[in-house]
Amino acid sequence: MNQLKSTLKQTVLENIPKVQAASDSTGNAIKDVSNMLTSRLNNVGDTLGNNSYKHLDTADEYIEQYSIYRYYAGLGISSVLLLILICLVFGLLCGICGKRPDGYGDDCCNKGAGGRFLIFAVAIIFLTFSVILAVALASFLVGTLTRRAACDSLNDPANDQIVNYLDQFVDLNRLYTDLRAQAVRSRPKLPVSDNVEQIHIGELIVACRENGSIYKVLKLNNFVDIDTIREFPEQYGITRELNSLTHKIKIDPVQILTPEATEDIQALKASKLNDFDVDKFTDNLTYNITEYNLNEIADKLRDVANRVPPGKEMNDIKVNLKNQALHLSSY
């Protein structure tokens, strides 16, 4: 066994540098692929950002420039509505609670003042009705368009018409064609996939909603075929070195038993012990070993011990009989 242990240790030590070198080569190749994929993702992110951030920045500029006017317009419309409400409330209060005007010493809050408040409120309503109607119509249109363009489109982006129009306007396939050409020129560790899958914005949204990986969402298989990583162990020699190590480990047959011990085992196998009925032995253990009742014998011994006459020499006999009775009772 010591010789076997020494042989195995020597063989493994001789092949460890080769296996380690192959493992390092594979690890470096995987690291290069990881860096390349990270670079591709950064390129895609930069390209998408350059095509989208400028439009978002333009929208932010318009919002910042004209949002103050929207605030003033809302404040003006709210003030007009508040004025109409105040006039209606005062008109109703004065008309219900005020006195009829008689021309002599009238109060300011009589029914005539209530009528004037109501007339003023109606006049403001007629004068501002077109403006309020235009604002309400604009709000309705904006809400409807937002619901149709955003909410309905995101419910089923793969089959939505607006998303399809947006997909035609923002041609991601042209962008991917340029990036694929760069990937071919860079000669990465992984070969570029032969099959080019078309990418669509609706499919991107659906894949993101399903929590797909970034590799599948952006269809990076158009740039690199990540499945070929499984061939790295063979390509960089790990499999070859491990097979070589396996072939170099040759263990001679090890004899554990001596010929005499083998003969003894064979003789024991051929002996009549194989014919021994163990079940019959275990069955006999379930029956009483003797046909006599041990408790009755113990009672008889106690009865005899009680009949032994007292005396110094007879006490030992009496104690011995009781002890034997106790032993029989315990079985």
Side-chain angles (χ1 to χ4, degrees):
M1 295 301 292
N2 292 331
Q3 183 179 1
L4 176 62
K5 180 179 178 181
S6 177
T7 303
L8 290 176
K9 183 177 180 180
Q10 184 65 26
T11 305
V12 171
L13 289 177
E14 290 177 356
N15 289 270
I16 280 179
K18 298 179 181 179
V19 176
Q20 186 175 3
S23 177
D24 293 339
S25 300
T26 306
N28 293 330
I30 294 175
K31 183 178 180 181
D32 293 339
V33 171
S34 176
N35 294 333
M36 184 267 294
L37 289 177
T38 304
S39 176
R40 292 288 179 269
L41 290 175
N42 292 333
N43 292 336
V44 172
D46 293 339
T47 304
L48 294 177
N50 294 332
N51 292 327
S52 59
Y53 288 157
K54 59 181 180 181
H55 301 292
L56 295 176
D57 293 338
T58 303
D60 289 338
E61 292 177 0
Y62 283 122
I63 292 174
E64 184 178 359
Q65 182 178 358
Y66 296 104
S67 61
I68 188 66
Y69 300 108
R70 180 178 59 84
Y71 169 75
Y72 287 139
L75 183 61
I77 294 174
S78 300
S79 301
V80 171
L81 293 176
L82 179 61
L83 180 60
I84 293 173
L85 178 62
I86 292 174
C87 292
L88 291 175
V89 171
F90 281 136
L92 292 175
L93 289 176
C94 293
I96 295 173
C97 302
K99 297 180 180 179
R100 184 184 297 275
D102 55 5
Y104 300 99
D106 292 336
D107 296 330
C108 62
C109 296
N110 54 25
K111 294 183 182 295
R116 294 186 186 91
F117 275 119
L118 292 177
I119 293 173
F120 184 64
V122 172
I124 295 176
I125 290 174
F126 277 107
L127 291 175
T128 60
F129 179 76
S130 58
V131 177
I132 296 175
L133 181 62
V135 172
L137 181 61
S139 300
F140 177 77
L141 291 177
V142 170
T144 303
L145 292 176
T146 303
R147 179 181 179 278
R148 177 64 186 90
C151 299
D152 294 345
S153 299
L154 293 178
N155 285 333
D156 188 13
N159 301 318
D160 188 74
Q161 188 175 7
I162 295 179
V163 176
N164 292 333
Y165 287 148
L166 183 62
D167 197 14
Q168 296 176 4
F169 179 73
V170 182
D171 190 6
L172 295 179
N173 294 300
R174 179 176 56 82
L175 168 64
Y176 269 43
T177 302
D178 298 337
L179 294 177
R180 179 181 172 84
Q182 295 178 8
V184 173
R185 290 194 299 268
S186 62
R187 296 181 180 180
K189 297 287 185 181
L190 294 179
V192 179
S193 177
D194 296 331
N195 299 324
V196 179
E197 297 184 16
Q198 298 293 320
I199 186 170
H200 303 284
I201 296 178
E203 295 178 355
L204 289 178
I205 298 175
V206 173
C208 290
R209 181 183 297 173
E210 294 176 353
N211 198 24
S213 64
I214 192 67
Y215 182 82
K216 293 182 179 180
V217 171
L218 297 180
K219 294 185 178 180
L220 295 181
N221 55 306
N222 290 332
F223 307 137
V224 291
D225 189 4
I226 200 172
D227 291 333
T228 56
I229 291 181
R230 299 176 181 176
E231 301 175 1
F232 277 13
E234 181 68 28
Q235 182 178 353
Y236 290 94
I238 291 182
T239 305
R240 182 180 65 254
E241 295 298 335
L242 291 177
N243 291 333
S244 176
L245 176 61
T246 304
H247 293 154
K248 289 181 180 179
I249 298 177
K250 296 181 180 180
I251 301 176
D252 297 330
V254 179
Q255 185 178 6
I256 299 177
L257 296 176
T258 61
E260 292 79 6
T262 304
E263 292 177 359
D264 292 339
I265 292 175
Q266 294 296 332
L268 180 62
K269 177 181 177 182
S271 65
K272 293 184 178 181
L273 288 176
N274 290 330
D275 300 332
F276 180 71
D277 192 356
V278 180
D279 294 334
K280 184 180 293 185
F281 178 75
T282 55
D283 291 339
N284 289 330
L285 292 178
T286 59
Y287 299 103
N288 293 329
I289 297 177
T290 178
E291 296 180 356
Y292 299 100
N293 193 334
L294 298 180
N295 291 326
E296 293 180 358
I297 297 175
D299 293 337
K300 294 293 184 181
L301 290 176
R302 292 190 186 93
D303 187 26
V304 172
N306 293 329
R307 293 180 182 180
V308 173
K312 183 176 180 181
E313 295 179 355
M314 303 302 291
N315 287 335
D316 294 337
I317 298 174
K318 185 176 182 179
V319 172
N320 191 13
L321 290 173
K322 289 185 177 181
N323 289 336
Q324 294 299 327
L326 180 62
H327 289 309
L328 290 175
S329 299
S330 62
Y331 291 139

